[in-house]
Amino acid sequence: MVNITRRFRPLWMERRWQQRAGCYFFGWYRVPPYGAWQGRIIRRHATRWSYFICNPPEEVLSGPHGACFLSKGNGVYEVHFSLRATSLDDGILAIEQTIRESIEQQP
């Protein structure tokens, strides 16, 4: 009998986010079939992250979560959570879910 062990890869690696200088991550928030938005994530502390998105869809900015997206200029927005993301992957998923919900709730 042969045991097969699944290799666990974090979501950010599966989604091909790139890590640079140990604490900077660059990639795309992907929400099929609606699109993909460039983002970056900065590690502030071992368990604290700052999330950014470039040119998020208007549905997000005008929807109920619009206040969570703070403009930093030049189309870049910092994303704030009501509950802090516990991991890099959790934050990516939360932003993608927010985008999906905002687009799908539009009339």
Side-chain angles (χ1 to χ4, degrees):
M1 177 149 83
V2 176
N3 287 331
I4 299 174
T5 305
R6 181 184 185 284
R7 292 177 52 186
F8 175 76
R9 290 184 61 192
L11 176 77
W12 68 267
M13 290 177 101
E14 299 232 353
R15 299 271 180 90
R16 297 186 177 162
W17 281 71
Q18 300 295 311
Q19 183 178 14
R20 298 198 183 118
C23 60
Y24 295 95
F25 297 80
F26 299 89
W28 295 84
Y29 299 106
R30 300 175 192 280
V31 185
Y34 303 114
W37 294 266
Q38 191 173 23
R40 74 174 185 259
I41 304 168
I42 301 171
R43 178 183 291 174
R44 302 288 185 194
H45 184 267
T47 60
R48 187 165 167 212
W49 308 87
S50 292
Y51 295 83
F52 300 87
I53 185 170
C54 296
N55 303 309
E58 183 56 39
E59 294 91 342
V60 171
L61 301 177
S62 64
H65 296 287
C68 302
F69 289 72
L70 304 175
S71 177
K72 296 296 183 178
N74 296 325
V76 176
Y77 289 78
E78 184 170 4
V79 183
H80 292 273
F81 301 98
S82 56
L83 296 173
R84 185 171 38 149
T86 58
S87 73
L88 182 68
D89 291 349
D90 287 346
I92 292 170
L93 288 172
I95 291 170
E96 291 175 348
Q97 183 63 31
T98 298
I99 293 169
R100 177 175 300 286
E101 288 174 1
S102 297
I103 291 172
E104 291 177 351
Q105 288 176 0
Q106 293 294 316

